[in-house]
Every structure is written in C-alpha cells, then in structure tokens.
Amino acid sequence: MAVPTTAPPAARAAAGAQRRQRPLGHERRRAAYLMLAPAVVHLAWWIGIPTVATFVLAFTRYDILAGTMAWAGLDNFVAIFRDPVWWKAIGNTVVYTFFTVPVAMAIAVVIAVLLNTKLRARAWYRTAVFMPHITATVAIALVWMWMFEPNIGLFNWVLSWFGVRGPAWTSDPAWAMSSVILMSIWKGIGLKMVIYLAALQGIPHDLYEAAEIDGAGPVRRFFAITLPLLGPATFFVLVVSLIDSFQVFEQFYVLTPEGGPANSTTVMTYEIYKSAFQRFDMSTASAQSVVLFAFLLVLTIVGRRFTGRDDVA
Amino acid sequence: MTIRHRSVLRTVAAVAAGLVALAACGGPAPDRGGDGAVSGEISLLTPIFEGADGAAVLEEQLAAFKQQYPDVTVKPDYTSYGKLNEKLTTSIASGQPYDVMLMGAGWIPPFASKGVLADLGQDPASLGSRFFERAVDAGVHEGKVYALPIMMDTRIGIYRKDLFAQAGITEPPKNFAEMREYGKRLTQRAPDGTLQVAGLDVLGIDPRQAFLTMLWAAGGELFAPDGSPAFNSPAGVNALQTMTDVIQVDRSEDVGWTVPNSPTGNVMAQGRTAMMVGHHHFWTQIQEEAPDMIAQDKLGFFVIQDERPAMFQGGTLATVAAQSKHPAAAKALAGFLASDGPALAANQQRGNIPALKSLESSEFVQQNKAIQFAMQNFDAAHSEGGVPQWLDIRDKFKPAIESAMLGQKSPQQALDDLAAEATAALAGR
C-alpha cells in the first residue's frame, strides 16, 4: 500500500510496521532476485556448469584434439586407480596434509597466544607473521628455492657453521617433500594466527583471573582455559586448512617442478594439471578431479560434524 | 557410440574447463579453405621470442611482414614452452585455435594425426633444398608437410679444455667407458668430501633428453619400426646404467649439484663442472656469464658416442591451424617466420641453430662454435617422438630415469616399467 508523503509521521510509521509484518510481496521478491542474480549467474556459470561438465567428462573418453567423445563408463576411474603414480600423488597429498596442518596450527596457536600479550612492537610482529599469507605463493616459492639451493643456499650455509653438510633439499627424494612442507608451514601460519588471535580476544579475562586466584600457572591456564575455549576456532581452522592442503599446487609446481625427483612430490592437483595440459587427456583429468572433489566433500562433512552444524540460523 | 563435432560437445567440454582449468570442447573442423586472399586478422602463438627483448624482435619482424602483406594483421600471444600446452589445449578445445602456432619437434605427429594442423601443401624434397633435411623431417607426418622449421637445438658433449689439460686428458671421450673414466679423473672434492668440480654432469639438462642422447649413442632406438617401445633394450639399459653409475658408483657428480635451468647460473661458466651432456645454447649463456672463457678458447664440444655417435636434435616449427579462418594469411605468416630475416632474428635471440641452409654463412653462425659444431654433426642427429601418442608418453620419462639415477630402481626395472606405461598409452589407455 502506498503511503502518501503528506501522511502524519505516526500514520507512516504504522503503515511501515504493517508492511514489515506482511509476507514478501511480488515486487520485493523480484528485487531480491534481481540483487541475487549476478551472484547466482556467476556461481552457475563458473562453478555449477563446470562441475556438472566435469562429472560428465569423467565418464567419457574425450579426445580434445580430434573433438570426439565416447561413453567410457567407469573406465577412467579404473585406469587412474591402476596407475601407481596417482596412488603416489594421493599418498603425497595425505602426507603433506598430515604434516602441514597440525604443525602449522600448533605453531599458530603459540604465536597467537604470545602476540595476544602486552608486547612492544606487537603490531609489527603480527604484521610480520601475517605477511607470508598475503604474498604470492609463486614469489615465496622462488625465494625459498634460492634458500634451499644446496651449494649457495642459506640453509646449507647455516648448517655448515655446525659442521653439517646440508642435503640437496629439492633434488633429493628424501628431502624434497620436507622442503615443500617447511615452506608451506611458514606460509600457512599467518592466517591461522589471525583467526586464533580473534578467538583469543573473545575469551573473558575474568576466567583467567579466577584461575590465577585458584593458583593455576600459565601452562595450566593455557591447557585448562585457552585451548578448550579455542575449540570452535580450531575446528574452523582445521577444516579450512585440510581443504587448502588438498588443493595445494603452486609451491610444488615452483619448488619441485614436474612432480619432483622421481615423483617424490607429485600431488593430486599436479597430476590433474599434467593429465589435462601435458597429455591432453581431459577425461582422466576430470576423473581425477572427481576423486579430489570426493576427498574434499568427505573432509567437509567430517569437519561439519565436528563443528556442530551448518551455519544456518 | 562416438559423438563428433556437436555443439553440445563443445558446450559440455568448454565449461569443464573451469574445474580442471581447461576451457573445453570441439575439435578441429575441416579446413574451410578461406577465401584464398592473403588478408584478415590472424593470431600467432609463440613459445620463442620470450621476454621484452624477444617481443621487441618479433614486433620488428611483424612490421616487415605487414609491409609485405598490408591486409594482414597479426596478433601475437607470447608464452613459454612450459606453458605452451595450456595455451594450445584451451584454444583448440574452445574451437578457436591460433591461426599460426609455433611448436616443438616431436609435437607435429600428435597434432597432425588429430587433424589440428593444416597440410601446408609443400613438397618435403623441395624443402630439403632450402632447409636442413633433419629440420624438414620434424615437420613431416605421413609424407605431408605440416610445419616449416625455424630453428633447431641439440644436446651434445661440452667440456672445459683447460680442466682436461690439467688432468692430462688430450681429447674428448670416444665411448661411455672413457666418459666415466675421464669423469672420475676430472672430479675434484674437498678433504671433507664436498664436491667442488663435477667431472661429468648428467643432471644439467632434462633427464629425458640426456637419456635419449645416451640411448642413441648406445645404439638403441626410442621406438621399434612397428611403433612399440624399444628404449628398454640392452642398449637403453646400458645408457641408463652409465648415467646411474656416474652418480652412484663413480661419484663424478652429486644429486642436486645442478638442475636444468639452474637459478644459480651455468655450472660450466662457474667452473663447477669439467664435462657435461648439455645444450648447445650453453655457448650463448657462457658468452654472457663468462666471455673470457670463450675468448681464451676454453670450451670444447664432442658428440656423445659409444656404439655410434649421437646427438639429440629438437627444434621449433611454424604450423597453421586446420581451422584457421584465414588460411592463406596464416600460411603466409608461417612461411615468413621460416624465411631468412625472421629466422635469423629468432635464432640469434635464442642462440639456436638456423634451419635454413642459407644462414650457415651468417655472421651469427660463424661466431658461434657450438652451432657450427652441431651443424657439422647433423649426420649423428636423432629426434624424439615419431608416434601420435608421444605427448602422452614423454612426461613419464623423467620420473622413470630419476628413479634409476637415484638408486630407487635398477635401470632395467625403471625402463621396463616405463615401457609398460608407454605400451598402455600407445594402446589408447
């Protein structure tokens, strides 16, 4: 109902209240759809359709050069799981995740707690720790590549002070994965630290005061108050980090090109890239993507179980 | 049932690009033939002419092309060999391939066999009068010319004459046994065992290219005449065993001493290796990094040999898309890029070997001993590829060879496993 502008303020307020109580009208619904449209179109075009297409291609034999497609059923999946390199890629991805996620989270908690105390130049330290997160991964990887260089790199130079002959970090299969993990932990701490810092600032200070009166020391306070109350943040960080680590690509691509020495650092994303762009085998790449999608889906569901429920009011 | 060239295919595959980073579908359509006029706007994909300097060189050449063909506009797209596959994939898949594509030797059969490339309608024999035969062969598939050669590159033995003299070695090795022996004699380590000079570097170039050079020198072949894998023959095992022994037994080099395209520069220029299986363009690198070494004639070359002399030979060729809307203009550009002026400029920029015989007398070639050496030894040149599935197979070489060199598998086992993978790829899975 249109309200004349000449209506007294009380009448206008009453009409407004009435309108608020009414279910959404056609006009308002249309406005909502219009406002949602760009995001929906973007999502459908760039996420929805490619996802569906990937699932379709995974069950076909598609020759991108000849432009032919034939139904393949589960052949692509059978083929990839018969491929030892794909298993190696899955194994490497799991190993990478196992070592980067918990270690980076533990370090991030400690740093967050330290940077939550009254400290001189605290803002500078926070910035310094967060900086790697906002720096391009490729740029970081290039710098670390120099530091890992076995003959003139920083790491082996420092090790030589202690009489230790450093390894060929990225060329030796025994060390290549460790090198990437080391860099990834360093890069990943920043964001985790910020999330923990935000969570720490939400913990009521009087809990600590009460614990202190009861005679709890700093370590006891950390394990009895801080860590339990960081639970939701921990699970959020865990889920996000797990998904991130399964999608890792750039640091492997730059630090240990072409799957590293004897495929010691090939990961699922790199194998997908290789299938698609080196072998022109889009069907295999799609099947591998579906497997990766399944991994991420399971991790997300498990994560949601831990965190309680969907973010729905 | 096989669907071919349907719009639905194009749509389905094109959108799949988003998730696996590909824009997909629709293969090449039959050559439309165009209107025959040398006109229109054409696109060029080039993995050479890299960087600002390279782009400047190409722009200059395209200006000359424009003068020759005023009705043709060329839109270049610069990439690197590392990213070339991605560009090719997405362009072909979207049904909008580049009109002219520069690609490597060994790439022609896979693309030609799928109908991606246009038959240039040239006679291989008559091209042989202008270009080196080795270079022409790389662009021929089933008797038809699909690519015109611009440049060639080789993998050869490179050594430091001064370090050889210090070790009392008077001439380059004539077989694998001598190579290994010289390598041991040339290796220098500190008292604590730290490597200071590698006697024989087999890690400085792509492991596949190093292995193939050794394979051919051992008398082996990549594929048998029937197209089946032949690299796991006794000759192949001997080649890989030799490479492995250099690292594991002779300790003439340590893992990590150098890597292909090392960020720390050229190991030979730095005096960190005495002998290597290398790329002839090391000459150009050394010219930039250590010009005194060239001035003092400290650099020597040899053809790797055991059962026979062998040199790995690759190259860059100009191709035309079968789907080009302006085939006449595209063919004109391909021909232009393979002609004297542009080819010389491209080769100078990359320090490579011109495919045109007429450029053999150019100042650039005359001043580059590595190129002259390679040209004198084309009789010993071999090229990789030869089967339509080569692009499926070639990336499997690196991990297989490394697994042997790092002691994870025996050379025989590594090559047998690789042959099994190659056989599966040749069979279409």
Side-chain angles (χ1 to χ4, degrees):
Chain A
M1 184 186 84
V3 181
T5 50
T6 51
R12 280 209 302 273
Q18 219 175 24
R19 210 164 33 225
R20 276 194 297 276
Q21 285 163 8
R22 273 207 316 253
L24 276 178
H26 177 71
E27 275 180 32
R28 301 184 90 195
R29 223 177 307 166
R30 196 173 60 180
Y33 289 148
L34 277 172
M35 282 186 270
L36 283 171
V40 170
V41 168
H42 176 273
L43 205 68
W45 182 255
W46 293 112
I47 307 288
I49 298 173
T51 302
V52 171
T54 300
F55 274 86
V56 170
L57 284 181
F59 294 94
T60 63
R61 192 165 295 125
Y62 171 50
D63 187 329
I64 195 167
L65 298 181
T68 59
M69 188 189 276
W71 179 252
L74 293 171
D75 287 1
N76 294 320
F77 293 94
V78 171
I80 61 171
F81 283 110
R82 277 186 183 159
D83 180 5
V85 179
W86 178 241
W87 282 108
K88 178 120 188 164
I90 292 174
N92 284 341
T93 308
V94 171
V95 166
Y96 171 84
T97 302
F98 182 81
F99 283 102
T100 49
V101 175
V103 174
M105 282 171 69
I107 296 170
V109 169
V110 173
I111 291 173
V113 169
L114 290 174
L115 294 181
N116 198 38
T117 56
K118 285 185 173 67
L119 201 71
R120 278 180 67 181
R122 189 171 66 173
W124 186 90
Y125 287 120
R126 286 177 180 180
T127 307
V129 174
F130 189 65
M131 196 66 82
H133 174 72
I134 55 167
T135 308
T137 307
V138 171
I140 286 175
L142 284 168
V143 172
W144 278 71
M145 189 167 74
W146 275 94
M147 295 199 296
F148 281 131
E149 212 286 326
N151 308 296
I152 58 168
L154 178 72
F155 289 124
N156 284 359
W157 182 58
V158 171
L159 286 172
S160 70
W161 297 347
F162 306 99
V164 177
R165 200 193 304 172
W169 293 93
T170 56
S171 306
D172 186 338
W175 287 96
M177 180 59 85
S178 310
S179 307
V180 184
I181 286 171
L182 195 65
M183 192 213 95
S184 300
I185 288 172
W186 176 80
K187 188 186 184 318
I189 286 170
L191 182 65
K192 296 173 181 70
M193 183 271 295
V194 165
I195 294 165
Y196 279 127
L197 208 50
L200 282 169
Q201 285 162 7
I203 299 173
H205 197 70
D206 51 1
L207 290 177
Y208 291 106
E209 287 170 355
E212 216 170 339
I213 290 164
D214 289 344
V219 175
R220 181 68 199 274
R221 289 201 300 271
F222 175 77
F223 283 103
I225 300 170
T226 308
L227 217 51
L229 290 177
L230 283 178
T234 298
F235 286 124
F236 172 74
V237 169
L238 177 71
V239 172
V240 169
S241 303
L242 284 174
I243 291 169
D244 260 3
S245 69
F246 267 79
Q247 293 178 319
V248 68
F249 180 79
E250 297 103 318
Q251 45 263 62
F252 282 100
Y253 188 69
V254 176
L255 269 181
T256 56
E258 297 182 64
N263 275 337
S264 57
T265 60
T266 192
V267 285
M268 293 165 83
T269 48
Y270 182 71
E271 283 303 310
I272 292 167
Y273 165 83
K274 209 160 65 170
S275 297
F277 295 115
Q278 289 189 2
R279 298 184 196 138
F280 300 98
D281 186 351
M282 298 302 162
S283 298
T284 297
S286 297
Q288 290 168 331
S289 300
V290 168
V291 173
L292 178 59
F293 172 80
F295 267 96
L296 294 175
L297 189 67
V298 168
L299 287 172
T300 307
I301 290 167
V302 169
R304 280 197 170 162
R305 276 288 165 85
F306 276 118
T307 48
R309 59 182 182 274
D310 295 357
D311 302 327
V312 180
Chain B
M1 183 193 76
T2 297
I3 307 165
R4 189 173 178 87
H5 306 309
R6 302 267 174 90
S7 57
V8 65
L9 248 183
R10 220 168 243 153
T11 309
V12 167
V15 291
L19 210 62
V20 280
L22 50 102
C25 202
D31 193 344
R32 294 167 199 172
D35 55 5
V38 185
S39 62
E41 187 179 274
I42 56 173
S43 53
L44 163 69
L45 178 65
T46 171
I48 56 174
F49 302 107
E50 294 156 288
D53 292 348
V57 170
L58 182 61
E59 294 297 338
E60 194 182 323
Q61 297 306 320
L62 291 179
F65 179 74
K66 184 79 179 172
Q67 282 187 327
Q68 219 172 315
Y69 299 99
D71 296 333
V72 181
T73 305
V74 181
K75 285 178 66 183
D77 189 349
Y78 299 93
T79 185
S80 64
Y81 262 110
K83 300 281 181 196
L84 182 63
N85 285 21
E86 292 171 45
K87 293 269 188 180
L88 288 169
T89 307
T90 49
S91 66
I92 292 163
S94 62
Q96 295 179 311
Y98 292 89
D99 296 280
V100 178
M101 298 170 279
L102 305 190
M103 53 176 76
W107 294 44
I108 306 306
F111 282 87
S113 65
K114 297 285 168 70
V116 174
L117 306 180
D119 175 359
L120 299 182
Q122 305 253 17
D123 174 35
S126 69
L127 282 179
S129 63
R130 290 173 51 217
F131 298 94
F132 288 102
E133 199 180 330
R134 294 279 330 157
V136 174
D137 289 348
V140 176
H141 176 63
E142 293 180 348
K144 292 177 181 171
V145 175
Y146 288 95
L148 295 174
I150 296 170
M151 58 178 64
M152 292 180 287
D153 51 78
T154 59
R155 309 299 177 273
I156 51 180
I158 308 171
Y159 68 101
R160 285 277 302 264
K161 291 178 180 177
D162 53 332
L163 297 179
F164 264 49
Q166 279 173 27
I169 303 168
T170 54
E171 55 183 12
K174 292 185 289 295
N175 51 49
F176 289 173
E178 274 188 11
M179 259 176 90
R180 285 184 60 189
E181 179 55 33
Y182 291 3
K184 283 190 283 187
R185 281 166 60 182
L186 291 159
T187 300
Q188 295 174 28
R189 288 184 182 271
D192 67 351
T194 306
L195 186 65
Q196 295 187 313
V197 177
L200 175 55
D201 172 20
V202 290
L203 301 170
I205 59 169
D206 185 311
R208 182 187 78 250
Q209 296 172 352
F211 166 71
L212 291 179
T213 307
M214 299 287 283
L215 165 76
W216 289 316
E221 293 296 343
L222 189 49
F223 297 105
D226 66 357
S228 61
F231 48 77
N232 57 335
S233 62
V237 174
N238 177 26
L240 188 51
Q241 187 71 60
T242 302
M243 291 171 72
T244 303
D245 287 347
V246 167
I247 307 286
Q248 303 287 344
V249 179
D250 305 342
R251 298 189 63 239
S252 296
E253 184 175 24
D254 289 344
V255 169
W257 184 243
T258 186
V259 289
N261 308 312
S262 172
T264 58
N266 188 296
V267 284
M268 194 151 272
Q270 294 159 358
R272 291 174 51 227
T273 189
M275 174 172 54
M276 71 189 302
V277 181
H279 192 300
H280 75 263
H281 79 191
F282 275 26
W283 172 276
T284 310
Q285 285 180 12
I286 290 166
Q287 239 176 350
E288 290 165 9
E289 286 184 42
D292 287 354
M293 199 178 289
I294 287 172
Q296 293 162 15
D297 192 31
K298 287 182 178 176
L299 216 54
F301 307 97
F302 64 98
V303 175
I304 308 287
Q305 54 187 325
D306 194 47
E307 289 295 315
R308 61 180 174 183
M311 194 169 69
F312 177 104
Q313 182 240 307
T316 301
L317 304 96
T319 68
V320 171
Q323 265 188 305
S324 175
K325 291 187 177 72
H326 305 286
K331 284 176 184 177
L333 178 61
F336 174 81
L337 292 171
S339 66
D340 288 49
L344 179 60
N347 279 283
Q348 277 178 316
Q349 201 254 323
R350 282 182 76 89
N352 271 343
I353 306 163
L356 277 166
K357 290 176 180 175
S358 57
L359 295 178
E360 197 172 0
S361 57
S362 66
E363 191 184 347
F364 159 67
V365 171
Q366 291 306 310
Q367 288 181 348
N368 188 315
K369 285 186 181 173
I371 290 177
Q372 286 175 48
F373 178 84
M375 281 179 158
Q376 287 157 13
N377 289 282
F378 274 147
D379 289 349
H382 298 259
S383 294
E384 63 182 0
V387 292
Q389 295 85 355
W390 175 240
L391 296 178
D392 297 349
I393 296 166
R394 100 189 158 135
D395 70 304
K396 300 178 192 294
F397 273 79
K398 178 185 173 279
I401 290 154
E402 285 173 337
S403 68
M405 289 176 74
L406 296 164
Q408 295 177 343
K409 289 180 182 177
S410 70
Q412 182 73 65
Q413 188 60 56
L415 291 175
D416 284 347
D417 291 350
L418 177 61
E421 284 187 80
T423 303
L426 289 162
R429 276 317 308 162

